[in-house]
Amino acid sequence: MHAYDHFHALPKIELHRHLEGSLRLDTLIDIAREYNIPNLPAYNAEGLRPHVQVMPDAPYTWENFLGKFRVLRQFFQSQEVIVRITEEAIADAAADNIKYMELRFTPQALNNLIRCDYGEIVEWVCAATERASAQHNIQVRLILSMNRHESIDIGKRVTEIAIAFKNRGVVGLDLAGQEAEYSAKPFLMLFERAKEEGLGLTIHAGEWAGADNVREAVELGVDRIGHGIHAIEDSALIDLICQQGTVLEVCPTSNVQSGAVAGMAQHPITPLFLRGVPLTLNTDDPCVSGITLSDEFATVIAHTSLTLDDLKLKTLTAARSAFLPKDQRAVLVAQFESWMA
């Protein structure tokens, strides 16, 4: 068996994947033609690829990385589009032998063109997730995201919708956005409200900003942190993370492509692992990065000192930190312990 096939065959868990960064190129072309989207740089897959995906010869900067989303946000044209991309994202994850996934999306991002009630968008995604999960034999839960650089009123709406749909597969609340300029503290009351209702909490922090942003997130009492890699700059913070059991959702390829780290050899996943930090391996935006989770496993093995056994342990960490009710999480952990053995 080829080495990559081993990674593909391994049952996997993904906890940090954005729906808005999980579109297929061929689907983008179909949407562009059906809705006559104007002013696109190309109307074929290979012509459009450099504008929605980070290319190997492109600069690895946050400007280039985020620029892909300026193109992608033109495609969320209708209910039919949102349903299709949700179903395809789940089918693609299942094809990569992901057995459990928490797929996150930002209602405001999907609503920039449609201009409807957030509840309608969440209903479409929930219904599509239920159908696709059953069809492809994959367990999928949903996380709703809000942005720290947008108004607290938007955050309130997202939080209340997340609570309203917690019996339809929504299990968590996420804060994303411009961490270097905007504090997470104004959203504390929303985190507390979500936590009271049994939702898991995660914050994007320590991706493009430093350890102080990670410390702020940890002190807010979240369960997990999206990225969190710059925590490595503060040894006392590492101790605090380990003490509290806060789990980092690490996305190595995305971190390199966005310029958050200089290269895979400089990525702090290994020193974080060696310090005992609970962490998981994720893709972030598979369309933008042009990867699968199996690719991410292969890349980490090829460019760091971590072994396949180490990554199996991180898969078990992911199972234990899934935003599931305690009994369901125990079943997931037991299943993955059996598979990893």
Side-chain angles (χ1 to χ4, degrees), residues 51 76 201:
H51 302 278
F76 306 125
L201 301 176

Side-chain angles (χ1 to χ4, degrees), residues 149-299:
H149 60 268
E150 294 176 339
S151 75
I152 193 73
D153 286 339
I154 290 177
K156 288 177 181 177
R157 289 163 61 195
V158 171
T159 302
E160 292 306 318
I161 291 292
I163 292 167
F165 280 85
K166 66 180 185 178
N167 293 323
R168 293 290 305 279
V170 175
V171 295
L173 187 68
D174 171 40
L175 183 67
Q178 299 172 18
E179 60 167 315
E181 293 86 19
Y182 294 86
S183 170
K185 290 180 180 178
F187 294 85
L188 175 59
M189 63 178 180
L190 302 184
F191 299 147
E192 292 174 339
R193 168 96 173 104
K195 197 160 198 173
E196 287 172 1
E197 293 289 339
L199 294 177
L201 301 176
T202 179
I203 295 181
H204 282 67
E207 180 182 12
W208 291 312
D212 287 347
N213 287 67
V214 182
R215 179 177 291 278
E216 178 185 77
V218 173
E219 291 176 346
L220 288 172
V222 298
D223 306 290
R224 303 195 319 236
I225 294 176
H227 304 286
I229 55 174
H230 288 292
I232 197 65
E233 300 163 1
D234 183 339
S235 183
L237 173 59
I238 294 295
D239 292 339
L240 179 64
I241 289 171
C242 293
Q243 178 185 336
Q244 294 199 6
T246 312
V247 176
L248 304 189
E249 306 158 352
V250 181
C251 311
T253 296
S254 172
N255 297 152
V256 172
Q257 291 179 343
S258 68
V261 296
M264 197 61 69
Q266 292 79 33
H267 196 284
I269 187 171
T270 300
L272 287 167
F273 175 80
L274 293 175
R275 284 291 304 271
V277 172
L279 57 87
T280 67
L281 198 61
N282 309 273
T283 60
D284 202 8
D285 299 286
C287 169
V288 174
S289 290
I291 58 170
T292 65
L293 189 54
S294 295
D295 292 327
E296 200 75 302
F297 272 61
T299 296

Side-chain angles (χ1 to χ4, degrees), residues 18-204:
H18 294 268
L19 176 61
E20 298 90 337
S22 301
L23 292 79
R24 297 175 181 173
L25 276 171
D26 289 344
T27 296
L28 293 176
I29 299 306
D30 288 347
I31 296 168
R33 291 172 177 166
E34 180 176 355
Y35 293 90
N36 298 311
I37 299 177
N39 304 318
L40 285 180
Y43 290 85
N44 60 79
E46 290 312 307
L48 187 61
R49 185 188 298 274
H51 302 278
V52 298
Q53 196 171 95
V54 177
M55 306 304 289
D57 57 349
Y60 283 175
T61 63
W62 67 266
E63 295 94 339
N64 182 52
F65 191 87
L66 292 182
K68 311 308 178 186
F69 291 95
R70 286 193 286 274
V71 179
L72 286 170
R73 69 168 61 110
Q74 300 176 62
F75 289 86
F76 306 125
Q77 295 274 339
S78 69
Q79 175 183 350
E80 290 74 22
V81 168
I82 291 172
V83 167
R84 178 177 176 178
I85 64 173
T86 302
E87 292 177 341
E88 291 180 348
I90 291 169
D92 292 344
D96 193 34
N97 209 28
I98 292 172
K99 297 299 186 183
Y100 177 84
M101 175 168 69
E102 291 177 1
L103 184 63
R104 67 187 69 192
F105 65 100
T106 308
Q108 180 60 39
L110 297 182
N111 198 39
N112 282 327
L113 298 176
I114 301 173
R115 302 290 183 184
C116 67
D117 184 81
Y118 285 173
E120 293 181 78
I121 290 175
V122 177
E123 165 63 35
W124 302 338
V125 176
C126 286
T129 297
E130 289 162 359
R131 288 193 301 271
S133 299
Q135 180 181 354
H136 298 286
N137 191 30
I138 175 176
Q139 190 175 4
V140 181
R141 296 294 183 268
L142 300 168
I143 297 172
L144 298 196
S145 294
M146 52 192 176
N147 285 318
R148 60 171 85 206
H149 60 268
E150 294 176 339
S151 75
I152 193 73
D153 286 339
I154 290 177
K156 288 177 181 177
R157 289 163 61 195
V158 171
T159 302
E160 292 306 318
I161 291 292
I163 292 167
F165 280 85
K166 66 180 185 178
N167 293 323
R168 293 290 305 279
V170 175
V171 295
L173 187 68
D174 171 40
L175 183 67
Q178 299 172 18
E179 60 167 315
E181 293 86 19
Y182 294 86
S183 170
K185 290 180 180 178
F187 294 85
L188 175 59
M189 63 178 180
L190 302 184
F191 299 147
E192 292 174 339
R193 168 96 173 104
K195 197 160 198 173
E196 287 172 1
E197 293 289 339
L199 294 177
L201 301 176
T202 179
I203 295 181
H204 282 67

